[in-house]
Amino acid sequence: MKIRFIDEDGRAIDAQAAPGERLLDVGQRLGLPLEGTCEGQMACATCHVIVAAEDFDRLPPASEEEEDMLDLAPDAARTSRLSCQIVLSDDLEGLTARIART
């Protein structure tokens, strides 16, 4: 499946991903600045991305714990998510996520 990242300079980077992969893992494979310091335990926001508005409603709702971490994230927006919490599925084909400024 195809996923698109928009890097901090506004460049589009297309990636191939498999259903079941976390968006964080796909971004890290591309060398994008998604640290994931807590390894997906929702103890940080270093994997924060801003999902394209047209794709946001295709995602399952964020948990309360994820929302709490996003409250602390710099550059947070209405469509912010932690990439460690986005597990890709066929329904998310073509998802676009912008790397948040840190």
Side-chain angles (χ1 to χ4, degrees):
M1 66 187 299
K2 181 180 153 190
I3 300 297
R4 174 170 283 173
F5 289 95
I6 307 298
D7 73 10
E8 294 170 307
D9 296 322
R11 292 176 296 209
I13 301 166
D14 291 333
Q16 289 298 316
E21 276 191 281
R22 295 182 309 166
L23 187 62
L24 171 62
D25 298 327
V26 177
Q28 287 179 333
R29 188 170 63 238
L30 294 171
L32 296 172
L34 294 171
E35 289 181 35
T37 304
C38 71
E39 299 180 0
Q41 300 302 309
M42 286 191 288
C44 72
T46 61
C47 68
H48 170 216
V49 295
I50 301 171
V51 176
E54 60 272 16
D55 294 329
F56 187 72
D57 289 336
R58 295 194 288 153
L59 296 172
S63 68
E64 187 174 328
E65 294 87 358
E66 182 179 358
E67 291 286 348
D68 289 346
M69 288 288 31
L70 289 168
D71 287 342
L72 305 173
D75 196 31
R78 185 186 67 77
T79 61
S80 289
R81 292 296 299 266
L82 298 179
S83 61
C84 68
Q85 298 302 302
I86 299 175
V87 177
L88 299 171
S89 66
D90 290 331
D91 295 339
L92 297 177
E93 170 75 34
L95 179 83
T96 297
R98 180 171 61 86
I99 305 300
R101 297 192 188 280
T102 55

